[in-house]
Amino acid sequence: PPPRPPGATLRYQPHKAPRQIRMTGQVHYAVARDESHPFRVTAPSATVTVLGTVFQVIDRDSTARVDVTEGRVRFEGPAGEGVVLTAGQSASLQDGAPVLDEASLPNPAAWATGLFRYEATPLELVLKDLSAFYGVSLQAKGDTSDKALTGEFPTDSLDDILELIALALDVEIDKQ
């Protein structure tokens, strides 16, 4: 399996700031919705206010990124400028302001969930997702523009995943 992201720190003081966490590094959250008690994640370079969701925050080297798996969050830069993200959306800070990532990967939190989930996902995007996760280069041979994948795979073995994809979609995949 690929290495986990480097360590993160969390600080939580329930009596001083209920439902507020200070963090650094990379953390995956699943938060129950409670409009009367919002949940807030404060990182050195950004703030995320949860509107009931599953998401991850990555804050390293004075930059931040948020990937939303379920629900909605508000993502703010240090100046307070913000954007609301919904399931499947990602954003990162550019010059201190959050900017939507148009090319987000389908499984940004696979490191935390242990699963890849695809729903009619184009093969090209599946291979890009797997390449990023495992740190390898994956390419399908031939024209695969009409190939899409629906399925759920544990992150344990890239070779097993590639074998299943090759059989299901009748494709050959090169791994480097």
Side-chain angles (χ1 to χ4, degrees):
R4 297 269 182 191
T9 62
L10 291 175
R11 197 167 26 182
Y12 177 65
Q13 296 176 327
H15 301 294
K16 289 188 175 185
R19 291 182 47 104
Q20 181 166 326
I21 289 180
R22 293 192 182 282
M23 64 148 292
T24 63
Q26 182 170 347
V27 181
H28 183 260
Y29 298 89
V31 179
R33 183 181 184 117
D34 183 347
E35 291 181 23
S36 62
H37 300 95
F39 184 87
R40 178 167 276 172
V41 176
T42 304
S45 51
T47 300
V48 177
T49 303
V50 177
L51 308 170
T53 191
V54 177
F55 66 104
Q56 74 176 355
V57 176
I58 304 167
D59 192 284
R60 290 195 187 104
D61 303 323
S62 299
T63 188
R65 174 182 179 83
V66 175
D67 301 293
V68 180
T69 307
E70 297 174 17
R72 299 180 330 144
V73 302
R74 179 171 173 78
F75 178 41
E76 297 177 12
E81 187 176 336
V83 63
V84 174
L85 303 172
T86 59
Q89 291 185 311
S90 299
S92 57
L93 290 182
Q94 293 180 10
D95 298 323
V99 175
L100 284 174
D101 180 358
E102 298 299 325
S104 59
L105 296 174
N107 294 285
W111 66 272
T113 64
L115 289 174
F116 293 106
R117 289 188 180 102
Y118 301 105
E119 183 68 39
T121 305
L123 179 59
E124 181 179 328
L125 185 55
V126 171
L127 295 180
K128 183 178 176 183
D129 193 32
L130 295 172
S131 293
F133 186 83
Y134 290 102
V136 299
S137 176
L138 299 171
Q139 298 290 324
K141 292 185 178 179
D143 180 16
T144 60
S145 59
D146 64 336
K147 306 282 185 181
L149 184 68
T150 297
E152 187 174 285
F153 307 96
T155 59
D156 298 339
S157 170
L158 174 61
D159 291 333
D160 289 350
I161 295 170
L162 294 178
E163 184 178 332
L164 288 170
I165 292 171
L167 288 171
L169 298 180
D170 192 26
V171 296
E172 193 173 329
I173 301 170
D174 284 334
K175 178 175 88 170
Q176 297 177 351

